[in-house]
Amino acid sequence: MSTTKWLGKAIRGLRSFAYNAEGQRPKVGVALGGGFARGIAHIGVLRALEENEIPIDLIAGTSVGALIAAAYASGTSLDDMAHQASSTRFRDFGRWTLSRMGMASNDRLEDFLSRMATARSFHEMRIPLAIVATDLLKGESVHFRTGEIGPALRASCAYPGLFLPVEYRGHFLVDGFLTEQVPAPALREMGAEVIISVHLEPGLLDTKPRNTIEVISRSFSIIQTKAIQSWRGMTDVLLEPDVHHVLWDEFPKSPQMIIAGEECVRAAMPRIRALLSRAPSQPDSVDAVSRSSR
């Protein structure tokens, strides 16, 4: 990151203390959900938050949200992330293989991480980071906040049926979206007082699935729309960029998805500013969760 950009972030951080008269504000956490290529919309969300000088004290990610969160927390510029996203292809992070556990390995994701992030371990992060995966044997979330980023990221992105599960720290792990589609619980655990959650709703497409991956993906989407999702009750501002029409591998649509993320934040700014003006730890009604218009 250039000195100019670093200074810009520092200045925005200092300005954030002006949200109330006593120079105090709630601790803000941003939760980035999963969604394959749709996750590029997270870059637009983060860009719009920066432009509006919204401080980010904590960040957490599930699946592709974990990759974007790790890159941002390490200090990678959003412009660099957008450039990398537009040229991304499946072969950059996936490798087809023959296995009873899946159709591909995501071991290349660790090398891909080095292109997206400037740090390789949690303690090097400029913003405290959590990555969420699912323990397939226990059916529970696992929150990674220490150690190397690579194995935790691979586990968080191990989409069932497509990628092989990842064995790490005594867990048999798959994609975090199974238990935390959006990692608001991880942020609450870290001490966030205002949580901005980004949910990448896939929606239902009119066209038939093109392959096995899309059959699996759409099936999980249907299940999750019917399930009770605890992360919603922990969310103060719910952002849902209009990217439901984007297929899982449509990385070339990066510019449109980034714009969708930016527009979503702008629509929610009155709610976000109102929350930041309150005193720290002041309770807020779950009924006040704001969903931005599409």
Side-chain angles (χ1 to χ4, degrees):
M1 177 183 290
S2 68
T3 302
T4 301
K5 289 181 178 179
W6 184 89
L7 286 173
K9 280 193 173 184
I11 291 170
R12 284 192 291 270
L14 291 172
R15 287 177 178 171
S16 69
F17 287 98
Y19 276 103
N20 60 51
E22 298 173 356
Q24 297 180 335
R25 59 168 177 78
K27 186 176 291 187
V28 179
V30 175
L32 306 181
F36 281 104
R38 291 189 300 275
I40 295 171
H42 291 317
I43 298 174
V45 168
L46 295 170
R47 178 178 287 167
L49 290 174
E50 278 196 1
E51 290 174 350
N52 285 277
E53 300 180 354
I54 302 302
I56 299 176
D57 302 299
L58 307 164
I59 193 165
T62 293
S63 199
V64 66
L67 175 62
I68 301 298
Y72 188 75
S74 74
T76 302
S77 75
L78 293 170
D79 288 343
D80 288 345
M81 291 166 64
H83 177 73
Q84 181 64 55
S86 63
S87 61
T88 296
R89 299 294 182 271
F90 178 82
R91 63 178 176 271
D92 292 321
F93 55 84
R95 177 175 55 83
W96 298 113
T97 187
L98 293 175
S99 172
R100 292 177 296 175
M101 295 292 179
M103 295 183 288
S105 168
N106 68 1
D107 54 0
R108 292 178 179 173
L109 192 55
E110 293 199 42
D111 290 331
F112 186 71
L113 174 65
S114 65
R115 294 185 239 165
M116 292 285 286
T118 60
R120 302 303 294 270
S121 61
F122 282 89
H123 79 270
E124 296 177 277
M125 294 291 148
R126 299 185 181 188
I127 300 172
L129 167 70
I131 290 178
V132 179
T134 299
D135 187 316
L136 193 59
L137 303 184
K138 296 181 180 179
E140 299 174 347
S141 294
V142 180
H143 298 165
F144 292 102
R145 294 170 54 189
T146 61
E148 295 183 23
I149 299 293
L153 178 61
R154 286 186 56 212
S156 185
C157 295
Y159 197 83
L162 172 58
F163 290 119
L164 304 178
V166 174
E167 294 189 63
Y168 182 55
R169 292 187 180 176
H171 299 283
F172 195 73
L173 300 162
V174 294
D175 200 308
F177 88 93
L178 289 176
T179 47
E180 282 181 44
Q181 191 175 12
V182 180
L187 288 175
R188 193 66 77 191
E189 185 180 90
M190 295 168 73
E193 295 166 303
V194 170
I195 295 178
I196 301 171
S197 291
V198 188
H199 178 227
L200 304 173
E201 174 61 54
L204 296 176
L205 302 177
D206 296 330
T207 57
K208 292 181 179 179
R210 300 171 299 170
N211 48 49
T212 303
I213 299 171
E214 290 190 1
V215 171
I216 295 171
S217 175
R218 295 192 194 188
S219 298
F220 277 128
S221 296
I222 292 171
I223 291 171
Q224 292 193 324
T225 58
K226 307 297 182 182
I228 297 174
Q229 299 173 14
S230 62
W231 63 265
R232 291 181 179 272
M234 300 182 187
T235 295
D236 297 290
V237 179
L238 176 58
L239 304 177
E240 293 187 302
D242 187 9
V243 293
H244 68 279
H245 58 285
V246 178
L247 299 178
W248 72 278
D249 58 349
E250 289 191 306
F251 296 99
K253 290 186 177 180
S254 293
Q256 299 96 306
M257 290 186 279
I258 290 173
I259 290 172
E262 293 173 342
E263 292 176 344
C264 194
V265 171
R266 293 187 186 112
M269 278 311 303
R271 169 66 176 162
I272 295 172
R273 293 197 187 282
L275 286 168
L276 288 181
S277 66
R278 74 187 192 189
S281 300
Q282 182 176 324
D284 188 51
S285 171
V286 172
D287 294 335
V289 172
S290 172
R291 179 175 306 203
S292 65
S293 59
R294 293 188 174 183

